[in-house]
Amino acid sequence: MGRNNIHHNRDNNKQKLPQVPQNLKSDGLDVEYSSELADQKDIEAQARANAADRRAHNRRL
């Protein structure tokens, strides 16, 4: 008995994902923020986000 067709076609026609150049990658921070229009909740949320960013950065190191 022969082998399944899966074994013959396993790696054929595999397309590779395109690589994105470093200068086209974003840092994910594309939110506009105006300190003049911010209220107390906005300021607290900004402080929490900055603290979370610091914790995440320290965890990576």
Side-chain angles (χ1 to χ4, degrees):
M1 287 192 188
R3 299 179 78 182
N4 282 344
N5 287 338
I6 290 174
H7 296 290
H8 297 291
N9 296 335
R10 185 175 298 159
D11 292 326
N12 292 347
N13 297 327
K14 216 179 217 186
Q15 293 184 352
K16 300 203 184 291
L17 294 174
Q19 299 298 312
V20 178
Q22 189 68 27
N23 60 352
L24 294 180
K25 290 183 180 179
S26 69
D27 58 357
L29 300 175
D30 51 20
V31 177
E32 291 186 27
Y33 179 76
S34 173
S35 58
E36 294 86 18
L37 300 176
D39 60 355
Q40 186 62 29
K41 290 183 181 180
D42 290 333
I43 295 170
E44 291 172 5
Q46 192 74 20
R48 283 194 309 270
N50 289 337
D53 286 342
R54 282 193 300 272
R55 286 193 306 270
H57 179 70
N58 289 338
R59 187 177 300 168
R60 277 188 273 164
L61 297 177

